């Protein structure tokens, strides 16, 4: 901006201060410099000469000063000249462009002459000259170069020169400013003749020339990507490729080409190192050998002529090598489950290809046997899966796994059968996501003798198929491993680490893991389990595993009333209940949280009845008094000496062995309570006797009644001496079956009668013995005093014995103890 302004001033002052003559405008002064274009940073010298006829200085004294753009610079007058000559020296010109002016020192200064000075650098030598031939229509050669990194600050012109040696033909092409590439048209070169190409750069400070490039245009051509039209296998471990150039470049196909081939297997994501083939021709196929058997490969090729640039890679074509018997061993993992008794073992065996294993064929079959030599004998399993379950005797120490295809069978992989050991060698296990499809599994292990390695096993928890179980084997000195597989986000996986020893498998450590987590898909419904005064217990069910979407971190219960703040209670993920206290009318909901988010459940409402403190206190006091009275009553009952009270709660049960009719009381004895006046329990309980006291004289009607009822006397067993403890006798329909009725001729307390007692046979609804004939009881067997047994019939005829002649009644009572007791009773009555 300043330079433009000064330049305008110089031009204006030249016209104003000039003197017109025949030749036009005459300048008032003139500035001489060594050069108007100088290298940047070099010194500059300038001289200003004021003419004699300059009207600005005629007849007056003046002084000359110098300015570089708007800055004043030092100057000196020539000693051998008049004051009209002045000289200025700039030791280092660091501006790329500036105006140097000569002025007469007045107020304001008057410019009488000036000059523009430019500075820069000479051009650098052009570098990296390269030319490439384009074989598409139209054919051309495009050359490019690098002008250098340094800015010249001066206009630089580039020229490209070509020389065809065989034709002795030279050409030079000028390039537009700022352009560093040029395309040579097809008529200016010959494909199969060498030509020389170089670039020249020119500016006001000099010129430079690049190193010449000598090339054959066809050797600088970059071909289009070739095409593979067939990949086939004609011998083991080899593939044959048939290829050609692109359709519009087939005209150069007769020349020898350089070829590169790269392959990758179908299960790999990385290409192998390229294989170089020299002097290849499109009409001749190329063989690639040293490959794996029965493996699908994808192939790509690229071409060039001599040292020309490589073409781009062709599209991929696939081929499969020939089949052969499997080779290498398998990595195995065995688990023993169920009954671990030595007689029978339940075994699950898993395997996968090791780094050395090659199936070398399709439809691979795996065979597990207990014999090392192949054959059907000893075979326990045959499958195309990656696992097998079977049972073996505890005496078997190892099994063998083989891979079989159509071409043959692999060498056996030996698998030892190691039973589980109750040895916890793994202390802790963690599994965290590692990328988008992997887990980083870490564990801590104890230093254990005989530890060989660790087995990391994982499986999806939502599926039970054994074929989904995967495993990796880590060396004993490792404590972490990255497992990769088809893991799904938001799905749970069980990851276990097993220690393996030389003689068994230790206890595992298992952890559940998610590749990615999010909020659960559902929140369990809250149930009111129990309620108390101002307290409530809330419970909820467990979230199904397939709806958790992550590891539950905690449950949070939010509850509030209409006026109070929101209260929060956190519950551990293992718990599914909470007790809330000091409540009245409340709303609540449950929130479930995982590391991936949280979800709120529905709101429930519950309320409580008002709490009456006075009523509760009265209830407590009444309960305490009632309990105290009960305790006092129990103590008094246990320690009381009142026999009647004891007898009421603990009735005396008679001892049938010690029973005696002698001690019968006057009351009926079927349900009578014991007498409390005697220390000895009263053994008078007999359920098969009834007593009947009759008056001394009977009327004729009564006598006839007894005669008519001689055969039905079972209801006469009710005593006429009543007692308050006697239960009413039910007569002949009762379950009790009295077998004798004793009739007294007087009252219970009257003197003994003169006549003998009358005994009536009871008409029982059931016989006393099953073999007894109706109404004819068998002889009663008594034990006499001398220890001899005698039989006497007292209740009618008997077929077994004849009744003895009736003697003195006292002797008769000795043989029958029950009737003897009646005699004693009569004595007491007396």
């Amino acid at each position: 901006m300043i330079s433009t302004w000064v330049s305008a001033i110089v031009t204006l002052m030249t016209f104003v201060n000039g003197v017109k003559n025949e030749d036009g405008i005459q300048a008032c002064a003139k500035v001489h410099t060594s050069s108007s274009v100088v290298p940047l940073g070099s010194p500059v010298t300038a001289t200003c000469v004021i003419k004699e006829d300059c009207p600005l200085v005629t007849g007056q004294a003046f002084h000359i000063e110098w300015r570089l753009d708007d800055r004043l610079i030092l100057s000196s007058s020539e000693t051998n000249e008049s004051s009209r000559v002045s000289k200025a020296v700039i030791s280092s010109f660091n501006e790329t462009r500036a105006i140097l002016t000569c002025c007469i020192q007045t107020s304001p200064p008057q410019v009488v002459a000036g000059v523009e000075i430019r500075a820069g650098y000479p051009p650098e030598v052009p570098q990296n000259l390269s030319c490439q031939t384009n074989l598409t229509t139209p054919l051309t050669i495009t050359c490019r170069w690098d002008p250098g990194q340094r800015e010249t600050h001066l206009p630089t012109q580039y020229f490209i020169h070509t020389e065809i040696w065989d034709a002795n033909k030279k050409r030079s092409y000028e390039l537009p400013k700022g352009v560093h590439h040029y395309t040579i048209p097809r008529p200016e070169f010959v494909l199969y003749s060498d030509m020389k190409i170089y670039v020249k750069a020119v500016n006001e400070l000099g010129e430079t020339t690049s190193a010449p490039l000598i090339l054959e245009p066809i050797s600088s051509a970059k071909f289009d990507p070739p095409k593979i039209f067939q990949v086939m296998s004609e011998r083991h471990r080899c593939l044959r490729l048939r290829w050609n150039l692109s359709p519009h470049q087939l005209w150069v196909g007769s020349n020898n080409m350089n070829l590169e081939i790269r392959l990758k297997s179908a299960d790999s994501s990385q290409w192998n190192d390229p294989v170089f083939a020299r002097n290849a021709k499109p009409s001749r196929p190329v063989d690639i050998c040293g490959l794996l058997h029965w493996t699908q490969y994808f192939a790509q090729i690229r071409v060039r002529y001599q040292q020309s640039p490589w073409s781009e890679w062709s599209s991929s074509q696939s081929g499969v090598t020939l089949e052969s018997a499997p080779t290498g061993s398998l990595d195995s993992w065995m688990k023993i489950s169920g009954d671990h008794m030595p007689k029978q073992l339940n075994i699950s065996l898993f395997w996968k290809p090791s780094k050395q294993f090659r199936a070398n064929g399709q439809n691979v079959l795996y065979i597990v046997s207990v014999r090392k030599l192949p054959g059907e004998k000893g075979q326990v399993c045959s499958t195309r899966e990656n696992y097998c379950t079977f049972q073996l005797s505890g005496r078997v120490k190892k099994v063998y796994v083989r891979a079989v295809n159509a071409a043959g069978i692999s060498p056996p992989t030996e698998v030892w059968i190691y039973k589980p050991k109750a040895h916890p060698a793994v202390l802790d296990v963690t599994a965290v996501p590692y990328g988008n499809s992997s887990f980083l599994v870490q564990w801590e292990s104890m230093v254990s003798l005989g530890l060989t390695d660790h087995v990391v096993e994982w499986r999806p928890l939502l599926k039970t198929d054994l074929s989904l179980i995967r495993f990796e084997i880590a060396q004993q000195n490792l404590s972490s491993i990255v497992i990769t597989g088809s893991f799904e986000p938001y799905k749970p996986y069980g990851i276990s680490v097993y220690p393996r020893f030389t003689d068994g498998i230790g206890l595992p450590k298992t952890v559940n893991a998610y590749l990615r987590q999010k909020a659960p898909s559902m929140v369990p419904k809250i149930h009111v389990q129990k309620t108390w005064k101002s307290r409530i217990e809330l419970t909820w069910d467990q979230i199904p595993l397939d709806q958790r979407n992550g590891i539950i971190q905690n449950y949070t219960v939010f509850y509030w009333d209409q006026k109070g703040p929101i209260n929060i209670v956190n519950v551990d993920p293992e718990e599914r209940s909470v007790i809330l206290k000091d409540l009245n009318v409340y709303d609540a909901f449950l929130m479930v949280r995982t590391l991936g988010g949280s979800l709120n459940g529905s709101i429930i409402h519950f309320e409580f009845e008002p709490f009456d403190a006075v009523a509760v206190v009265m209830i407590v006091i009444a309960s305490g008094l009632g309990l105290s009275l009960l305790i006092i009553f129990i103590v008094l009952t246990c320690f009381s000496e009142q026999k009647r009270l004891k007898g009421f709660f603990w009735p005396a049960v008679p001892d049938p062995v010690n029973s005696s009719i002698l001690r019968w009381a006057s009351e009926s004895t079927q349900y009578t309570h014991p007498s409390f006046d005697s220390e000895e329990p009263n053994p008078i309980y007999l359920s098969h006797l009834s007593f009947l006291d009759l008056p001394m004289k009977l009327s004729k009607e009564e006598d006839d009644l007894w005669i008519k009822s001689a055969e039905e006397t079972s209801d006469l067993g009710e005593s006429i001496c009543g007692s308050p403890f006697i239960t009413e006798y039910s007569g002949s329909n009762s379950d009790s079956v009295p077998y004798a009725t004793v009739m007294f001729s007087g009252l219970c307390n009257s003197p003994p009668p003169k006549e003998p007692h009358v005994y009536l046979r009871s008409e029982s609804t059931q016989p006393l013995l099953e073999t007894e004939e109706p109404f004819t009881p068998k002889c009663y067997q008594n034990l006499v005093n001398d220890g001899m047994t005698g039989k006497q019939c007292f209740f009618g005829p008997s077929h077994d014995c004849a009744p003895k002649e009736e003697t003195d009644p006292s002797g008769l009572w000795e043989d029958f103890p029950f009737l003897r007791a009646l005699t004693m009773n009569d004595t007491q009555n007396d």
Side-chain angles (χ1 to χ4, degrees), residues 655-723:
D655 186 1
V657 178
N658 298 321
S659 297
S660 175
I661 301 179
L662 178 64
R663 305 193 54 96
W664 288 5
S666 61
E667 299 86 8
S668 178
T669 59
Q670 186 175 3
Y671 297 100
T672 305
H673 286 274
S675 174
F676 296 105
D677 298 333
S678 176
E679 291 294 336
E680 180 182 357
N682 191 1
I684 59 177
Y685 291 91
L686 293 175
S687 61
H688 292 78
L689 291 177
S690 62
F691 303 92
L692 181 63
D693 290 340
L694 298 178
M696 295 298 295
K697 295 293 182 178
L698 297 175
S699 64
K700 179 175 179 55
E701 292 81 8
E702 291 173 345
D703 191 23
D704 294 339
L705 178 63
W706 285 105
I707 293 172
K708 293 178 182 180
S709 302
E711 295 300 324
E712 297 180 1
T713 59
S714 60
D715 293 337
L716 300 178
E718 182 175 340
S719 174
I720 63 174
C721 300
S723 173

Side-chain angles (χ1 to χ4, degrees), residues 305-380:
Y305 179 79
Q306 295 183 1
Q307 301 301 318
S308 68
W310 287 106
S311 69
E312 301 297 330
W313 290 102
S314 68
S315 59
S316 298
Q317 292 293 332
S318 64
V320 179
T321 56
L322 294 178
E323 190 174 14
S324 66
T327 58
S329 60
L330 297 167
D331 290 336
S332 62
W333 162 231
M334 178 181 290
K335 298 172 67 175
I336 299 178
S337 60
D339 188 7
H340 295 187
M341 296 299 292
K343 293 183 179 180
Q344 199 75 12
L345 298 177
N346 297 326
I347 297 176
S348 297
L349 179 62
F350 304 87
W351 57 81
K352 67 175 183 176
S354 65
K355 294 181 179 180
Q356 298 79 24
F357 178 81
R358 297 292 180 268
N360 297 336
Q362 61 180 348
N363 299 325
V364 179
L365 178 70
Y366 297 96
I367 297 177
V368 181
S369 64
V370 296
R371 293 181 177 270
K372 189 172 184 180
L373 296 177
E376 294 184 1
K377 190 174 182 180
Q379 179 175 317
V380 298

Side-chain angles (χ1 to χ4, degrees), residues 539-588:
T539 62
W540 53 88
D541 297 330
Q542 189 175 14
I543 301 177
L545 187 60
D546 59 342
Q547 299 188 33
R548 295 180 190 176
N549 301 331
I551 299 176
I552 302 298
Q553 298 299 306
N554 66 340
Y555 299 95
T556 304
V557 177
F558 296 84
Y559 64 99
W560 66 94
D561 60 9
Q562 296 179 354
K563 299 180 180 179
I566 296 178
N567 301 301
I568 301 175
V569 177
N570 290 318
V571 184
D572 292 337
E574 293 80 12
E575 301 292 336
R576 289 190 299 277
S577 65
V578 66
I579 296 177
L580 307 180
K581 301 179 180 179
D582 301 330
L583 305 179
N584 187 8
V585 178
Y586 272 83
D587 294 321

Side-chain angles (χ1 to χ4, degrees), residues 170-184:
K170 297 182 180 180
R171 290 287 186 270
S172 180
Y173 308 96
E174 182 179 357
L175 277 65
K177 293 181 180 181
V179 177
H180 306 118
H181 59 85
Y182 186 75
T183 299
I184 303 173

Side-chain angles (χ1 to χ4, degrees), residues 192 245 250-257 281-282:
Y192 296 101
L245 296 174
L250 294 176
W251 56 272
V252 295
S254 60
N255 296 281
N256 293 336
M257 308 290 291
K281 292 185 177 181

Side-chain angles (χ1 to χ4, degrees), residues 2-11 13-14 29-33 44 46-50 64-75 86-88 90 93 98-104 109-117:
I2 296 176
S3 300
T4 304
W5 177 78
V6 173
S7 194
I9 291 178
V10 171
T11 304
M13 293 305 297
T14 300
K30 190 174 182 180
V31 176
H32 302 276
T33 60
V44 175
T47 302
C48 180
V49 179
I50 304 296
I64 300 175
E65 63 180 14
W66 292 87
R67 288 182 178 273
L68 185 63
D69 285 343
D70 58 345
R71 291 178 292 121
L72 183 66
I73 61 175
L74 298 177
S75 62
S86 178
K87 183 178 181 181
I90 302 175
F93 190 82
I99 297 179
L100 182 63
T101 57
C102 174
C103 304
I104 296 176
Q110 298 292 322
V111 178
V112 293
V115 64
E116 183 183 31
I117 301 176

